[in-house]
């Protein structure tokens, strides 16, 4: 197995006890919060496999809710995340799901407000690293460890080109890109991981590009 840095071996700076069950869970929760774009008022979190069996003892519940509150992996406030969510009237429900999954540390996070909702599936692959594998029914593969933008758009010619041209004009390099659609000419999703954070001014330009419906981002 190849490691890119010593942190791939010893894991991230974090509130313990487990890099996969705590740090990874926090990153899944925080990714959901960032992609949704605001703090949700409710969340239903389905836990599978090892997550479901050990989430109380390993603090997976605290970590995911901490992520939904916007906390990073080393934020001491994670320890009090459930209490904080309750004080902020964020309704949280955990479901110990017995359905089979491809990875034992899998969480399906459904969240929203009275006006909108979102569904995301994330897996914790060890050492605090995660992958986002599904978003609102779209299958994808996003590390969650790099800056990224997620763009919902109409499946029309020119939509992808308009986005990549904007990134090039602002000297933003693409590290990884995936595109998917539900059907020809229907809703489509671009997932673009970048080498640097995409700033607010670039986000504004992207939001007004041709055939773009919604833009969200993950930042480091």
């Amino acid at each position: 197995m190849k490691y890119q840095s010593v942190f791939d071996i010893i894991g991230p700076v974090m509130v313990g006890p487990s890099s996969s069950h705590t740090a990874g869970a926090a990153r899944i929760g925080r990714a959901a919060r960032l992609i949704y774009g605001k703090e949700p008022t409710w969340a239903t979190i389905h836990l599978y496999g090892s997550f479901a069996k050990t989430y109380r003892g390993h603090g997976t519940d605290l970590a995911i809710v901490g992520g939904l509150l916007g906390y990073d992996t080393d934020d001491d406030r994670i320890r009090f995340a459930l209490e904080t969510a309750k004080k902020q009237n964020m309704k949280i429900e955990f479901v110990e799901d017995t359905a089979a999954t491809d990875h034992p540390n899998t969480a399906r996070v459904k969240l929203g407000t009275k006006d909108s909702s979102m569904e995301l599936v994330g897996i914790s692959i060890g050492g605090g690293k995660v992958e986002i594998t599904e978003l609102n029914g779209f299958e994808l593969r996003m590390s969650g460890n790099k800056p990224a933008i997620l763009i919902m758009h109409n499946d029309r010619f020119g939509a992808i080109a308009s986005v990549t041209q904007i990134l090039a004009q602002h000297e933003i390099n693409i590290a990884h890109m995936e595109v998917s659609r539900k059907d020809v000419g229907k809703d489509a999703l671009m997932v673009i991981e970048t080498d640097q954070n995409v700033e607010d001014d670039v986000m504004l330009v992207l939001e007004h590009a041709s055939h773009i419906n919604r833009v969200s981002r993950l930042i480091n």
Side-chain angles (χ1 to χ4, degrees):
M1 184 176 185
K2 294 182 180 179
Y3 298 96
Q4 295 182 345
S5 77
V6 66
F7 296 106
D8 292 342
I9 303 172
I10 65 175
V13 177
M14 65 177 192
V15 176
S18 166
S19 61
S20 58
H21 285 209
T22 312
R27 283 180 168 159
I28 291 171
R30 190 165 182 265
R33 160 70 179 264
L34 289 171
I35 294 169
Y36 187 55
K38 57 186 175 182
E39 186 170 287
T41 57
W42 62 269
T44 301
I45 302 156
H46 290 246
L47 300 174
Y48 302 85
S50 181
F51 265 5
K53 294 175 183 177
T54 64
Y55 73 95
R56 289 190 180 92
H58 284 183
T60 306
D61 51 352
L62 296 171
I64 289 183
V65 175
L68 293 176
L69 290 166
Y71 303 162
D72 211 339
T73 57
D74 60 348
D75 196 318
D76 285 335
R77 293 177 295 174
I78 285 177
R79 303 180 192 278
F80 311 104
L82 292 176
E83 298 171 29
T84 303
K86 186 175 181 180
K87 289 177 183 177
Q88 296 181 192
N89 295 317
M90 184 190 295
K91 296 181 180 178
I92 303 293
E93 179 186 6
F94 283 94
V95 179
E96 298 175 25
D97 206 311
T98 58
T101 57
D102 292 333
H103 195 282
N105 297 334
T106 298
R108 179 178 295 273
V109 182
K110 304 175 183 178
L111 73 165
T113 64
K114 64 179 181 180
D115 300 317
S116 63
S117 63
M118 187 189 84
E119 185 171 332
L120 173 150
V121 176
I123 60 175
S124 179
I125 59 176
K129 293 181 177 295
V130 302
E131 286 185 2
I132 308 304
T133 60
E134 185 181 319
L135 177 65
N136 288 341
F138 287 98
E139 292 185 0
L140 62 131
R141 184 179 178 184
M142 184 174 67
S143 72
N145 303 307
K146 285 180 173 291
I149 51 174
L150 298 94
I151 302 172
M152 295 294 302
H153 62 98
N154 299 321
D155 181 32
R156 299 287 189 277
F157 66 87
I160 295 172
S162 66
V163 168
T164 56
Q165 286 171 6
I166 290 168
L167 295 179
Q169 288 166 4
H170 289 84
E171 299 183 350
I172 295 171
N173 196 47
I174 295 173
H176 175 78
M177 181 175 181
E178 290 188 6
V179 295
S180 59
R181 64 186 183 186
K182 292 187 175 179
D183 202 353
V184 177
K186 303 296 184 181
D187 291 338
L189 174 67
M190 270 183 266
V191 178
I192 303 174
E193 292 185 331
T194 59
D195 289 335
Q196 65 263 58
N197 288 324
V198 178
E199 302 298 338
D200 291 344
D201 59 331
V202 183
M203 292 290 290
L204 187 61
V205 176
L206 289 168
E207 287 169 1
H208 290 89
S210 300
H211 308 303
I212 303 305
N213 298 325
R214 185 172 183 271
V215 183
S216 56
R217 65 182 167 183
L218 287 178
I219 57 176
N220 272 5

